[in-house]
């Protein structure tokens, strides 16, 4: 009950208004539910959430609200609120599990999605948790990637490995894992491309087979729209163990990141981190209720 009261404050103001109309009602009509669902649909579509995911959520809310009996003592309004909240949590998912232990994490994504920035941010995050991270930069494709990664690792005050003059990302990955073997968390940054080109996928496959990461995270710009599903599918196929987490970047901008949910759904994964700024500290662990209020707000 406490959780639903909290979440009411987080819901968008128009949805809150619609839910408030239910106050004191002893029965909730199909029309009431329809109004609420419409409100949620509007917000989610505006936040770039995939149409079919929105439809699925709407159907679930309608079915449950009309067919399930509220537990004794729960008012109809609180009951609907709980269903809405539970279904929204189901839509966005739980946070990717990243135990604070030794592990290797590989980052994948298109150029400009924010991989290099995220690598340094995550390293900073793990170091604040008391672990010793290292960033391994294998991006030999994008000019300036080495310098940028090195500089950000310095700002994060974490170990860094890269080879500025090499054009062999697989060899860098191999050397980097060896050179940073003392680190607890080895974060391997990979090269992107402007689009899903074959050589990007091939390169990623080779790095993946060399690194054999414990976790592979797909980095997506919050502004990603309809392309998320296709991108996620290609990356998921290229990585032997598949994508097991998503990072959404640039949430400090106007985009709400709902498009990334299609990638989460496609890869059957969850969201690990959110990025909201250009400095190494602008990272937070994904947490369902905060993200839900962002989507609906
Ligand atoms: P990569 O090509 O995937 O490695 O992408 P980069 O890490 O180089 O990021 C591309 C651009 O986006 C850079 O200018 C970053 O500073 C910027 N960027 C990355 N993450 C964020 C973020 O969370 N917020 C903002 N505002 N900018 C970001």
């Amino acid at each position: 009950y406490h959780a639903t009261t909290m979440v009411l404050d987080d819901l968008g103001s128009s949805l809150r208004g619609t839910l408030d109309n239910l106050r004191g009602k002893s029965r909730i009509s199909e029309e009431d539910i329809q109004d609420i669902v419409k409100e949620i649909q509007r917000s989610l579509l505006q936040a770039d959430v995939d149409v079919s995911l929105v439809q699925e959520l709407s159907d679930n809310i309608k079915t449950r609200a009309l067919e399930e009996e509220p537990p004794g003592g729960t008012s109809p309004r609180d009951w609907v609120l709980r269903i809405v909240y539970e279904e929204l949590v189901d839509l966005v998912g739980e946070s990717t599990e990243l135990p604070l232990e030794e592990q290797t994490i590989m980052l994948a994504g298109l150029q400009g999605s924010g991989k290099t920035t995220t690598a340094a941010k995550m390293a900073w995050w793990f170091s604040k948790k008391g672990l010793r991270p290292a960033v391994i930069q294998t991006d030999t494709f994008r000019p300036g990637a080495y310098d940028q990664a090195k500089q950000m690792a310095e700002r994060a005050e974490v170990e860094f490995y890269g080879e500025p003059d090499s054009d062999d990302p697989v060899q860098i990955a191999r050397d980097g894992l060896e050179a940073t073997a003392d680190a607890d968390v080895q974060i391997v940054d990979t090269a992107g491309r402007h689009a899903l080109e074959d050589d990007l996928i091939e390169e990623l496959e080779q790095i993946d087979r060399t690194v054999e990461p414990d976790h592979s995270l797909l980095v997506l710009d919050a502004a990603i729209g309809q392309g998320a599903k296709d991108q996620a599918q290609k990356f998921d196929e290229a990585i032997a163990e598949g994508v097991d987490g998503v990072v959404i970047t640039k949430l400090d901008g106007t985009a709400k990141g709902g498009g990334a949910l299609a990638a989460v759904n496609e890869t059957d994964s969850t969201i690990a981190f959110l990025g909201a700024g250009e400095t190494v500290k602008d990272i937070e662990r994904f947490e369902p209720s905060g993200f839900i209020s962002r989507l609906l707000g």
Side-chain angles (χ1 to χ4, degrees), residues 19 22 32 64 70 154 156 171 198 214 228-229 248 258 264 276 283:
L19 280 159
L22 305 180
D32 292 329
R64 290 191 57 195
E154 272 162 21
Q171 187 62 43
D198 291 344
D214 300 303
K229 194 175 159 177
I248 310 178
V264 171
I283 180 167

Side-chain angles (χ1 to χ4, degrees), residues 110 112-117 121 142 148 250 252 275-278:
L110 289 188
S113 60
K115 286 179 302 303
T116 299
T117 309
K121 285 176 175 179
R142 180 164 61 87
Q148 180 199 354
K250 309 186 193 180
D252 50 321
E278 295 188 76

Side-chain angles (χ1 to χ4, degrees), residues 116-127:
T116 299
T117 309
T118 299
K121 285 176 175 179
M122 282 175 56
W124 182 83
W125 186 87
F126 277 110
S127 78

